[in-house]
Every structure is written in structure tokens, then in C-alpha cells.
Amino acid sequence: MAVSLNESGFAAHQAGVDRLLASYRAIPADANVRLAKKTSNLFRARAKNPAPGLDVSGLAKVIQVDPEAQTADVAGMTTYEELVAATLPYGLAPLVVPQLKTITLGGAVTGLGIESTSFRNGLPHESVLEMDVLTGAGEIITATPDNEHADLFRGFPNSYGTLGYTVRLKIELEAVQPFVALRHIRFHDLRELESTLARIVTERSYDGERVDYLDGVVFTAEESYLTLGRQTDEPGPVSDYTDMDIFYRSIQHDAGIKTDRLTIHDYLWRWDTDWFWCSRAFGTQNPKIRRLWPKRYRRSSFYWKLIALDHKYHIGDKLEARQGNPPRERVVQDIEVPVERTADFVEWFLKDIPIEPLWLCPLRLRDAAPEGTTARPWPLYPLEPNRTYVNAGFWSAVPTVPGRPEGAANRAIEHKVTEFDGHKSLYSDAYYDKDEFAALYGGEHYTELKKRYDPDQRLLDLYAKAVQRK
């Protein structure tokens, strides 16, 4: 029996849809349609919008959880924090839960997302069964894999709101156990890590034990780790990384395997407390500061506010200038390369880009290509089916070098990723020229979708949004 989280879940959702449509009609015909949303998980700069935005305030709730069918109907602006809170009481979770609590389901579908289940569950958009989308034409249409809007269903991932905005999504859920047992495996050689990771993805096990979750951290070429998680209902003590202990530091050890246990809730949000390791920029990892820093502010949403202040007032560059240093170039990216190029990319990165640690997360698309073909099912982010990729995430800044072009480090990363037959996410700065961008992110397929679902160009173009920062 389906269980609504409130008696009027769908009625309340419809009221939110009505407000959304009213706000669309209030936007001048010659203005771009954008969200009236104060927060974002994008790292690229965006031009200010002089026109009123879409009112999505009524689209931030879980509408219904069906524990028998293992599905959920979710409004597009619902955060994963709220979604997980609604599903865990039923022993269920989304198939992929991105690392940060304030990422929205709609954002993870239109902008991609990834986590340690992606080696077996693919990307968040692959667990979507159907979605209601407000198109640029002001219509709300339902897209499924096999209805008359299947082209939008396939083309929506990685469109970043340039084809429309999700109003409602129906997604698959999976059963989860109350605890996760962890094994942190130390590597002294990146080639060995690469081969071990590839084998685990194929076998779904390591040393005779099932692997349900898989990711890794690279500190240096001589110190890297894979973290293997196994769901369990076995009772026992668990660690807490929301207080003084820091999760990514708990991974480190001299050799062999280190074990740990977390509740499923704390495992899903293990990276949020310290924004992976980026909280160190604010001093939060200093024990003296950490004791005084309220727990409720040790979370990604608060760090985002600090980053927004830095962007507004250029605090970091001013501090560097006081020390006689040049401004720093932001290098905040997630990229995917085929698993067999993982060590090549990491070795190049550690040599040329002075940032550490790096996060590693393997993925394989759930959708297999039809036999005898190499069709890529998601045209705006055309990863190859039946192939293992590894996401590398790195989030910091490097000193600028006089005489080098703007974004020199980011440009070098883009070239290397393309050379290795990989792809780069578009949530941060991008520097591709138009032809290269079209070849990598949908080309004519995107143009045709734009003509059909945004004929009057009410929404920004993907290149204008991702590269030109409009």
C-alpha cells in the first residue's frame, strides 16, 4: 500500500505547480526564464537575472513513498537530505545518493550526480521512471523512456535547465540495511589501485566479501585508498564523524586493510560534515576551532554560504594580495575517464596540478547498448555503455601564472580528459570552444531538442550557460 507522507501530498504538490505556472506567466516574453532560487550547488559564476524568476517554493517535498513498489514520487526541488529522511524509515534509499545534503533530485538529474553505488547503479537519472517537466514553452509534459517525449527523457540529463525544469520525478528505491561495514585498503602504487578497482567493479566482491559501496581517495602517488562498504544488520559499535573525528582522515593508515562501521544514515552523509576535506579552508579541522564551531554549521550548506561571501567580496584574492601573492585560479571539477586511464590521469594531475586529495568513484551505466551496437543512451553526456569509468573529483585553487591565459589549469584538465576519452561535468568553470563543446555535449541532438521544447528560446542555451556564464 502506498504511503503518503501527508494526507494532501498530491494536492499540496499541485498548489506548488500552480504557483510555478503563475510565475512563468509573469516573466516578460523577452526575458530568460530562470529559477527564483537563492541557493545552488553550481561553482561557476552566473550573470544576475534582472527579470523575476520561477517560483519553485512549493516543489521541495517528497510527495509519496510506496514501500511495496520501492518507488517515490518527489518534487523536483526536494533535497536528498529530505528524500533520504523520508525513505530510510522504510528501509529504503535512492539508488544513488549524491554526497551533499542540499543537492536536489532535479538538480542531480539535469546536472548529473554520482556516489559510491554508481559502479552498480549508474547515475541518478538512470533510476528515474518518469518525470514531469516544465519546458521552455511553458508546458508541463510527462516524459518516460517510451512515450512521445522519450527524446526529452533521454536528452534531459546534463541539460542544466536549458530544456526545462523537473516538477515531479518518480524514482526507483532499493532496500538498505541499518549499518555499513567498511574496509579501507591502502595502496602504494596507483597502477595496483587501478587494477584492483576494475576487478571489484566486475566481481562485486573483494577477498570473498560482497561490495555494495565503492570509492577511493588519493593523497599522493604513494598513498591512495579504496573504501569498500558492505550493508549489514549486524549490531555493534559505530563511528561518529560529525563531532571531532574527521572521516577522510580516518581512512589513512600505514599498510593493509583498516575496518570501520557506520549507520547507513551516517554513511550516506559521511562526506557532508566536512564537505569532503574542503572544510579545512575555513579552519574547521583545527581541533581548537572545531570544538567551538557549532555542529549545526558543520555541513555543506553552511560552507556554501562562506563560499558565496568569498565570491561576492573576493576575500581570498585580497588575502593573497596582502601576502604579495597573485590571485588563485579556482579548480573545482569532476571528470570521468575510462578505468584503464585512471592511473595515467592521476599521475599527470599530481605532477601538473598542485591539488590533493582527489576523490575517486567508479561508475558504469545501467543501460546496456543493444547487442552489436555502441549506442550511447544519454546523448548530452555520452558515456559508453558496458564500460567502466572512474570519476575524479578535485576541489581547490592553484596560483595563477603571469602570461598564461585565464583558466590555464582548467583548460589543461579539459584537454587531458578529452585525450583520455573522458568527459567533464559542467557544474563549474568550462573553457571549450563551440565546436568542441558541441562534439562533447550533444551537438545536433541538443539543437533538435531545443527546437522542440524551447522553440522561442526562453531558456538559456547550454553553451551560453556552461561556458559563457550567462
Side-chain angles (χ1 to χ4, degrees):
M1 178 180 178
V3 179
S4 292
L5 298 188
N6 56 70
E7 292 182 359
S8 55
F10 281 101
H13 177 68
Q14 186 57 51
V17 172
D18 293 342
R19 289 204 299 276
L20 174 74
L21 291 173
S23 67
Y24 177 92
R25 292 190 289 269
I27 299 173
D30 61 348
N32 286 127
V33 175
R34 295 189 183 184
L35 299 180
K37 189 168 175 272
K38 295 181 180 180
T39 61
S40 171
N41 282 290
L42 296 178
F43 266 92
R44 59 174 180 266
R46 294 174 296 168
K48 290 184 178 181
N49 186 18
L54 292 173
D55 181 356
V56 294
S57 59
L59 302 176
K61 297 292 183 184
V62 178
I63 304 166
Q64 176 178 268
V65 175
D66 186 333
E68 291 186 3
Q70 296 191 358
T71 62
D73 286 275
V74 186
M77 300 300 158
T78 305
T79 66
Y80 273 92
E81 182 175 26
E82 291 191 2
L83 177 53
V84 166
T87 62
L88 278 188
Y90 300 106
L92 300 171
L95 271 64
V96 180
V97 179
Q99 313 86 349
L100 306 180
K101 293 178 177 179
T102 55
I103 294 175
T104 64
L105 177 59
V109 170
T110 193
L112 304 186
I114 192 171
E115 235 296 322
S116 59
T117 56
S118 289
F119 78 102
R120 59 183 176 86
N121 287 340
L123 300 175
H125 56 267
E126 295 190 90
S127 57
V128 175
L129 300 171
E130 65 180 36
M131 55 185 170
D132 295 342
V133 178
L134 173 67
T135 68
E139 302 171 331
I140 293 181
I141 60 97
T142 299
T144 73
D146 53 8
N147 73 356
E148 67 271 28
H149 301 297
D151 58 345
L152 180 62
F153 186 90
R154 291 290 175 186
F156 196 80
N158 210 46
S159 63
Y160 281 90
T162 65
L163 297 175
Y165 295 101
T166 50
V167 176
R168 177 193 63 90
L169 304 100
K170 185 173 186 177
I171 63 168
E172 298 175 68
L173 304 172
E174 69 175 7
V176 293
Q177 296 291 331
F179 304 103
V180 179
L182 301 179
R183 289 178 289 172
H184 305 302
I185 307 172
R186 166 77 187 256
F187 294 89
H188 301 271
D189 178 81
L190 290 168
R191 303 282 161 180
E192 184 184 359
L193 177 144
E194 176 186 289
S195 62
T196 303
L197 185 152
R199 188 169 64 254
I200 294 171
V201 170
T202 300
E203 298 177 357
R204 305 283 181 92
S205 66
Y206 179 80
D207 197 23
E209 187 174 307
R210 189 183 74 250
V211 176
D212 299 315
Y213 304 97
L214 176 62
D215 64 351
V217 178
V218 176
F219 290 89
T220 68
E222 293 76 35
E223 184 189 3
S224 58
Y225 302 86
L226 291 178
T227 293
L228 286 51
R230 176 179 56 85
Q231 294 184 27
T232 177
D233 60 359
E234 300 166 9
V238 293
S239 298
D240 179 5
Y241 296 106
T242 65
D243 196 13
M244 292 301 294
D245 294 331
I246 297 167
F247 178 71
Y248 84 99
R249 288 300 182 193
S250 76
I251 294 172
Q252 293 182 277
H253 59 279
D254 291 334
I257 298 176
K258 180 181 180 182
T259 61
D260 199 357
R261 279 170 51 90
L262 293 171
T263 67
I264 180 64
H265 175 276
D266 286 356
Y267 176 79
L268 293 176
W269 302 128
R270 69 201 182 284
W271 293 121
D272 190 85
T273 301
D274 285 286
W275 213 7
F276 283 86
W277 33 81
C278 298
S279 67
R280 63 187 178 182
F282 311 113
T284 318
Q285 296 182 25
N286 181 318
K288 294 180 180 179
I289 296 175
R290 197 174 183 87
R291 287 190 183 92
L292 300 175
W293 196 292
K295 253 191 174 184
R296 66 183 180 277
Y297 295 142
R298 285 188 223 143
R299 52 180 285 140
S300 58
S301 57
F302 185 73
Y303 303 137
W304 263 112
K305 294 178 181 179
L306 300 180
I307 290 291
L309 288 173
D310 178 60
H311 288 174
K312 184 175 182 179
Y313 297 109
H314 307 288
I315 298 169
D317 286 347
K318 290 175 181 177
L319 292 175
E320 292 291 341
R322 284 188 178 183
Q323 299 177 34
N325 298 326
R328 294 175 67 83
E329 176 188 349
R330 182 175 58 196
V331 183
V332 178
Q333 305 286 357
D334 277 76
I335 63 91
E336 276 94 34
V337 293
V339 65
E340 66 271 16
R341 303 310 301 265
T342 302
D344 292 335
F345 177 82
V346 173
E347 287 172 350
W348 170 83
F349 186 91
L350 292 174
K351 180 171 65 74
D352 284 45
I353 311 292
I355 291 175
E356 54 76 27
L358 288 79
W359 182 58
L360 301 181
C361 186
L363 71 122
R364 283 177 69 91
L365 296 181
R366 292 177 73 195
D367 281 2
E371 189 173 350
T373 75
T374 57
R376 303 193 179 199
W378 308 100
L380 270 62
Y381 205 72
L383 299 178
E384 185 178 326
N386 313 320
R387 189 176 192 183
T388 300
Y389 293 82
V390 175
N391 173 284
F394 34 90
W395 315 289
S396 189
V398 298
T400 57
V401 178
R404 297 183 70 183
E406 178 192 1
N410 284 283
R411 293 173 192 268
I413 291 166
E414 290 177 354
H415 293 155
K416 188 59 66 173
V417 170
T418 300
E419 177 187 332
F420 288 165
D421 195 23
H423 284 78
K424 188 184 87 164
S425 297
L426 296 175
Y427 69 82
S428 188
D429 300 306
Y431 294 89
Y432 299 105
D433 63 40
K434 281 192 173 183
D435 290 341
E436 185 178 14
F437 186 86
L440 292 170
Y441 299 103
E444 286 300 317
H445 193 101
Y446 174 74
T447 301
E448 292 303 313
L449 287 171
K450 194 74 169 162
K451 288 177 182 177
R452 182 179 181 188
Y453 294 102
D454 187 23
D456 297 322
Q457 301 293 304
R458 298 298 308 278
L459 303 169
L460 284 170
D461 171 80
L462 185 57
Y463 185 80
K465 197 168 189 176
V467 181
Q468 297 175 328
R469 306 175 188 174
K470 292 184 179 179

